[in-house]
Structures are given as structure tokens and as C-alpha cells.
Amino acid sequence: MMRDEYLPFGKPNFSDDEIAAITRVLRSGWVGMGPETLEFEKELGAFVQAPQVVTTNSCTSALFLSLLAHGVGPGDEVICPSLTWCSTANAAMHLGARPVFCDIDPDTLCASAETIGAKLSPRTKAVVIVHLGGLAIEPGPIRDALPAHVALVEDAAHALGARYADGRPVGSSGNLTCFSFYANKNLSTGEGGAVALSDEETAARLRSLGQNAMPSDAWKRYSHSKSLLSFALTDLGYKMNYTDLQAAIGRIQLRRQPEFHARRLKIATHYHENLPRMISGLRFQRDLLDTDHARHLYLILLPRTGFPVSRDRLLLALRNRNIGASIHYPPLHRMPLYGGADQPALPETESIGARILTLPISASMSLADADAVVVQTEQALRAEERVIV
Ligand SMILES: Cc1ncc(COP(=O)(O)O)c(C=O)c1O
């Protein structure tokens, strides 16, 4: 039997505390970027162990400002994986640079020092690694394989709460590390993002570039300053800042991360206990049940050969049964925007891109929801196999 209500692959979890916090800010008379945002930045810095945090209106903006601050521009190349969301590559393109797609390690589903090294050229100005699904990739070996002038940026849109092998949180590496607080992320404020970093001067530059390159932020200009306000712009900036309304939600969501982390682990464990008996040869992203994994996405890989149901058939069958299965991601390099057929082949990315499937996981899901996914998957497979046979 079909599930009554559609289960999205990622659904935020808001409590009365978030509602109270946003009400407090609405009543305060100031809803732009201000004191709540600064507190959120401090608290996020403590959570990810980063000396500096600069919030933005999205992770897309965080990536763009990070590359801009490093001086990426026309003629430059930026290496990134193809199995990612478009923002990873588009940040480079918006600056006139060319994204150069690298292959992935079939175990982690992420770029590695080897796959990145294969794409290095004298034009490489930056590398963006993606902690896909919330699996923390070690930046050390990648940094060691890069010339000193090449920036290493971490796209941690999925990885709030993930930890590197030494137990330190993603965000603490000193690289420009970009987080997303988009609607379905582990910490959701509707929209939003942040760059975590260590260098104070770069943080000041990022902050300014995201606020029209103003010498001081709007809150200071509007609030109780008694000095004469004047400024002469020297740089062309952008309007990409966060707001106190979002930060008020974010501060509560940050405190609830351990609860969310535990819930995600419970859901993933239930899938792990049940799926392999239905799909022989099923593979998972590495470390999906490890405590260091942020489990933003529950990624499975259907067998390379011998499985009677195609990935797309299974995806549609699940959607028809109100299970929000999804694909993260269709590889970018084969899309027309990025060159399509003219792009060099990326064998692992292409093989994995055709077999990868995301099953719903979120801090809003109950164990009964997870069980519904298991039951519906089993029934969908049976029905599909019957049709095929
Ligand atoms: C890997 C990755 N990078 C960047 C982004 C962009 O995040 P935002 O929607 O906050 O701009 C996303 C969004 O889903 C993402 O999945």
C-alpha cells in the first residue's frame, strides 16, 4: 500500500524555540544584519572550532566570495568534482574562471589528492572540494599536493557536524570552509550560508565584499552611532549578507545539532539493517554509519551489473509511492552549460552518477517513516521485477 503523505528527502525540524526566537527579533525593531547575526557567528565559530565566521545569504555566495577574496578571475581554472550541486562550479564561472572537473574516489564519492592532481595546470588558481553527503574528506593530503599559490576551499554545504579523522570538526582546518543553511540542510534557516576560516584580515574582506564593500555594516550605520557618517567606496561589492531573523533561528538550530545528529544516525542504521537483504550487491558511501559523518544525505549505489531494475525506474516507483527518493547528483560535466559531450570523460563519476540514489533522511523523520521507506522500497522492487519478468 502506498504511503499517504509525501516524505521529502530532507525536511527541516523547527520547534517552539525557533518560533519564540524569531518573534523576539521581529518585536525588537531590527531585522537586518545585526547583533543576532554576530552572536550566531560566534556560536557557530565555537561549534566548528574556527576563529572567524562570516555569514552570507547562501552557500553559493559563500563560495563566490571565497574565490573572489583569493583573486580568482578570468583566465583562471578552478578544479572541483562533477558529482556536486551546480553552485560549486558556478561560483568560479560567475568570476569568469573555468571550472575543471575532476573524478572521484569510488569509496568516498568525493575528489581525492590523486583525482585533483590529474587536473592541475599552470592556470589552476583554486580547488574546491565537496564533503559530499556529509563525509569529511581530509584536506591535508590535498593541500600537500597543491602549489602554495593555489587556494583550497571546502564546500561543506552538507557537512555541518562532520569530523575529520583526527576528530576535529569540519570548519576547523583553516581553509575557507563554506556552509549552507538552506531549507533542507542539517541546520536550516530557510536560506543562508557562512564561511569559517582562521585569517582575520580575510574575514574582514569577506564581510565587507558581502555588504557592498561598505567600510561599516548597516546595523552600525542605523543604530546609535553619534559620529558623522560618511564613506567613500573603493571596491565594487555585493549584497550577500545574512539577517538577524535567520540568525535567531540558526542559534536555536545550532543548539539542537546533537539531537539532530542522533536522529539521523537512527534512520541510517534502520536502512542499513534492512536494505542489503532486498538488493544484493548494494553499496553505500563509506562511513555512512560512522559518528563523524554528518549524514545530510543517505547515499546508496545500486549494483553495477545484474540488477533487474534501473536506478531511474526505482526512483520513479518510489516517488509514485510518496517516498521522496532523489539523485545527488547528475554529473555536471555532461550538462550543456559546462560543455556536455565536449568534456573529457570522468569514468568513476559517470558510473556512479548512473547508479546513485538518495533515500529520505532528516531530523524530522520518525523510525516509522524510515520503516515506511524500507517497506515501500521492498514493494516497489517486487512490483518492478514482476513487470520486467
Ligand atoms: C554541495 C553544495 N554546494 C553548495 C550548495 C549551495 O548552497 P545554497 O543553497 O545555500 O546556496 C549546495 C546546496 O544544496 C550544495 O548541495
Side-chain angles (χ1 to χ4, degrees):
M1 219 179 53
M2 196 178 95
R3 190 187 141 91
D4 289 343
E5 199 187 328
Y6 187 73
L7 180 68
F9 82 83
K11 186 178 172 195
N13 181 321
F14 298 123
S15 67
D16 288 348
D17 289 349
E18 281 88 345
I19 294 167
I22 202 168
T23 305
R24 177 171 49 75
V25 173
L26 284 170
R27 292 205 165 116
S28 76
W30 178 252
V31 295
M33 190 259 175
E36 284 290 324
T37 305
L38 299 180
E39 284 306 309
F40 176 61
E41 289 178 347
K42 252 194 252 160
E43 290 164 8
L44 183 61
F47 187 81
V48 302
Q49 294 177 22
Q52 306 288 330
V53 167
V54 178
T55 47
T56 55
N57 59 357
S58 70
C59 182
T60 305
S61 300
L63 290 164
F64 172 86
L65 292 174
S66 295
L67 295 180
L68 176 67
H70 185 64
V72 169
D76 293 331
E77 292 179 355
V78 177
I79 299 173
C80 67
S82 168
L83 199 82
T84 183
W85 180 242
C86 59
S87 302
T88 315
N90 292 0
M93 288 172 78
H94 281 300
L95 289 163
R98 190 168 79 87
V100 174
F101 296 106
C102 66
D103 215 344
I104 50 173
D105 174 313
D107 245 16
T108 62
L109 314 182
C110 297
S112 66
E114 290 70 36
T115 64
I116 291 166
K119 297 291 176 175
L120 272 173
S121 89
R123 289 177 183 267
T124 308
K125 185 85 179 223
V127 171
V128 184
I129 57 171
V130 179
H131 301 297
L132 190 81
L135 173 66
I137 293 306
E138 294 302 310
I142 296 172
R143 179 67 270 172
D144 292 347
L146 300 178
H149 71 276
V150 174
L152 179 58
V153 173
E154 297 180 43
D155 180 339
H158 303 172
L160 185 75
R163 291 178 182 275
Y164 303 115
D166 66 2
R168 285 172 53 88
V170 166
S172 64
S173 65
N175 299 319
L176 298 171
T177 303
C178 302
F179 293 98
S180 171
F181 311 128
Y182 175 65
N184 61 17
K185 293 298 188 284
N186 287 19
L187 184 159
S188 174
T189 65
E191 295 281 0
V195 187
L197 68 164
S198 56
D199 181 50
E200 195 176 344
E201 220 172 282
T202 309
R205 183 154 163 72
L206 288 169
R207 191 178 296 288
S208 165
L209 284 169
Q211 294 183 74
N212 286 319
M214 287 279 170
S216 72
D217 55 54
W219 174 54
K220 288 187 191 133
R221 290 196 304 281
Y222 285 109
S223 62
H224 31 70
S225 173
K226 301 217 167 54
S227 59
L228 189 63
L229 293 171
S230 73
F231 52 83
L233 289 177
T234 54
D235 274 343
L236 177 64
Y238 300 83
K239 192 70 169 63
M240 294 179 164
N241 61 274
Y242 206 48
T243 71
D244 275 13
L245 280 173
Q246 294 162 315
I249 303 170
R251 293 181 69 193
I252 306 291
Q253 290 266 296
L254 198 53
R255 270 176 239 158
R256 299 181 63 207
Q257 286 302 303
E259 170 203 332
F260 293 173
H261 192 80
R263 177 65 67 93
R264 286 176 181 276
L265 178 57
K266 218 177 233 179
I267 307 290
T269 304
H270 190 69
Y271 288 160
H272 256 61
E273 285 169 356
N274 286 283
L275 294 174
R277 72 181 152 79
M278 294 178 218
I279 305 173
S280 78
L282 181 69
R283 273 196 47 222
F284 303 99
Q285 184 187 32
R286 197 183 80 189
D287 299 339
L288 204 41
L289 289 195
D290 197 294
T291 179
D292 292 346
H293 198 301
R295 279 173 290 276
H296 170 59
L297 301 174
Y298 184 86
L299 297 170
I300 64 171
L301 291 173
L302 298 179
R304 212 181 278 262
T305 54
F307 188 61
V309 183
S310 76
R311 187 271 315 272
D312 292 349
R313 272 191 86 114
L314 178 58
L315 177 106
L316 288 176
L318 288 171
R319 291 261 180 102
N320 284 333
R321 291 165 174 271
N322 273 340
I323 303 296
S326 191
I327 300 174
H328 295 86
Y329 290 93
L332 296 179
H333 69 290
R334 290 295 181 216
M335 297 182 184
L337 173 65
Y338 307 99
D342 295 338
Q343 280 278 351
L346 298 172
E348 291 296 353
T349 300
E350 285 161 34
S351 164
I352 286 163
R355 294 182 288 127
I356 201 163
L357 186 70
T358 309
L359 293 181
I361 189 165
S362 75
S364 282
M365 278 176 66
S366 64
L367 213 47
D369 291 328
D371 204 48
V373 175
V374 168
V375 169
Q376 293 299 331
T377 304
E378 188 151 32
Q379 290 181 3
L381 283 172
R382 267 205 220 123
E384 288 297 310
E385 282 172 12
R386 218 175 295 131
V387 172
I388 288 166
V389 172

